[in-house]
Amino acid sequence: MYITLKEIMKKADKLNMTVGAFNMHNLEMLPGMIRSAKEVGAPIIIQTSIDTAKYIGYDVIVAVCKQLAENEIVDVTLHLDHAKDLEAIKDAIDAGYSSIMYDGSSLPFKENIAKTRAVVEYAHARGVSVEGELGTIGGTEEGVSVAEEDKQYTKPEDALRFVQETGVDALAVGIGTNHGQFKSKTNVNIPLLKKIHETVDIPLVLHGGTGVKESDYPELINNGIRKFNVGTELLVNWTETAKKYFVETPVNKSLRHNIIPCNDRVNEIIKHKCHLFMNLDSPLK
């Protein structure tokens, strides 16, 4: 089914699991991503940046997601990631995105609350979920660039005020992760996450998931992470595979012979991650 972020995370919370939120960069990637989640028996969140949505077309992405969600019998949420442009947010909602993230993390605390609340009011009136962010995640990714010295951890008391004042459906928290990190793994601040989880009663979101050790997944999930973003790992592996096949393939051979292996590599990663995200060794809530 094609559902909202709030609905998909509610299901995840009951099963004490998290939902993989995977970034697509071209339309070729999309069908296999959804079918990979279906194969594992997991829900999936498809994420796009504003630039990717404009490149493909908001309405095209919505149409494909809806069609696959119904035909493949899998829960799918379509999410606009790290959106700061209010017009782009409106375009995504009007086209049929079921979830958006308003990223006011670089703003002063009061301004972040005010602007996030305005987005929530607009989105909720149209049946769309909203993710907010408090604290900042370091690193560089499409649409996101935060220097290491500017990275800020989320304070539990601020998180409580932010959630109460904005009405967001999910909260992205800063606990030490970095966007774009793929050559090494970071040490996430689990004790801080526990305090935030004890303080607020909404689903929490982890950004920069590529740089997180898989051995930390169970503790993250057991302490409220219900949306787990993975973008860079997919992009790096797709591109590395493309570089190999496009060099070796004759120029007059169909493009699908170059692109299918790239998508297959992405699909392998998604199936692996979705299996881990189901948190099978932990009990139900």
Side-chain angles (χ1 to χ4, degrees):
M1 293 180 63
Y2 185 73
I3 60 178
T4 67
L5 183 66
K6 184 175 182 178
E7 291 170 314
I8 210 167
M9 290 187 303
K10 184 178 180 180
K11 293 184 178 184
D13 192 56
K14 288 182 178 179
L15 295 174
N16 191 27
M17 59 177 286
T18 194
V19 184
F22 301 100
N23 288 75
M24 59 173 282
H25 295 271
N26 58 43
L27 196 58
E28 288 279 353
M29 296 174 70
L30 182 54
M33 294 171 74
I34 291 176
R35 288 168 181 151
S36 295
K38 172 197 172 184
E39 187 174 331
V40 178
I44 188 170
I45 298 165
I46 299 294
Q47 298 195 145
T48 76
S49 66
I50 291 173
D51 287 346
T52 295
K54 289 180 177 178
Y55 163 64
I56 298 171
Y58 291 94
D59 55 342
V60 174
I61 299 171
V62 169
V64 175
C65 277
K66 284 184 174 180
Q67 193 271 345
L68 287 167
E70 295 305 322
N71 285 6
E72 299 295 336
I73 315 177
V74 58
D75 284 337
V76 178
T77 294
L78 178 57
H79 180 79
L80 186 68
D81 196 29
H82 284 288
K84 301 180 181 182
D85 183 335
L86 298 181
E87 285 305 309
I89 289 172
K90 183 178 182 298
D91 289 342
I93 292 173
D94 291 348
Y97 272 61
S98 58
S99 173
I100 62 99
M101 177 200 178
Y102 175 69
D103 183 359
S105 60
S106 63
L107 303 173
F109 183 58
K110 188 182 293 186
E111 187 177 356
N112 189 3
I113 287 176
K115 289 186 175 179
T116 302
R117 182 169 56 205
V119 171
V120 167
E121 290 172 354
Y122 184 87
H124 281 185
R126 291 156 180 81
V128 175
S129 298
V130 178
E131 172 189 334
E133 182 175 331
L134 189 62
T136 51
I137 292 90
T140 301
E141 195 177 52
E142 189 177 6
V144 184
S145 182
V146 177
E148 182 65 23
E149 61 269 20
D150 294 328
K151 184 167 67 175
Q152 297 180 5
Y153 286 81
T154 303
K155 298 177 182 178
E157 61 274 19
D158 288 346
L160 178 61
R161 182 71 183 274
F162 185 84
V163 169
Q164 291 174 335
E165 294 288 342
T166 61
V168 290
D169 302 292
L171 179 66
V173 293
I175 57 171
T177 56
N178 299 290
H179 289 113
Q181 181 177 352
F182 67 96
K183 294 182 178 180
S184 62
K185 299 298 180 182
T186 193
N187 293 314
V188 290
N189 192 331
I190 299 290
L192 175 60
L193 176 63
K194 289 181 178 178
K195 291 180 181 177
I196 297 170
H197 181 46
E198 291 167 356
T199 304
V200 300
D201 61 355
I202 66 168
L204 303 177
V205 180
L206 186 83
H207 285 239
T210 294
V212 174
K213 291 175 283 195
E214 291 184 351
S215 58
D216 285 336
Y217 287 7
E219 270 202 286
L220 292 166
I221 297 169
N222 292 336
N223 285 284
I225 295 296
R226 296 291 173 250
K227 176 174 177 280
F228 198 116
N229 288 18
V230 179
T232 302
E233 186 170 354
L234 305 186
L235 179 60
V236 168
N237 278 273
W238 199 99
T239 304
E240 286 180 344
T241 307
K243 289 171 71 174
K244 173 186 175 183
Y245 277 87
F246 273 90
V247 168
E248 296 176 353
T249 305
V251 294
N252 62 341
K253 193 172 184 178
S254 174
L255 281 173
R256 70 178 182 277
H257 295 291
N258 297 328
I259 294 174
I260 288 173
C262 303
N263 293 337
D264 286 345
R265 181 67 188 119
V266 165
N267 299 341
E268 290 170 7
I269 294 169
I270 289 176
K271 284 187 282 189
H272 173 70
K273 294 294 184 183
C274 282
H275 180 76
L276 296 178
F277 291 159
M278 291 178 78
N279 202 23
L280 297 175
D281 292 331
S282 295
L284 300 174
K285 290 189 68 176

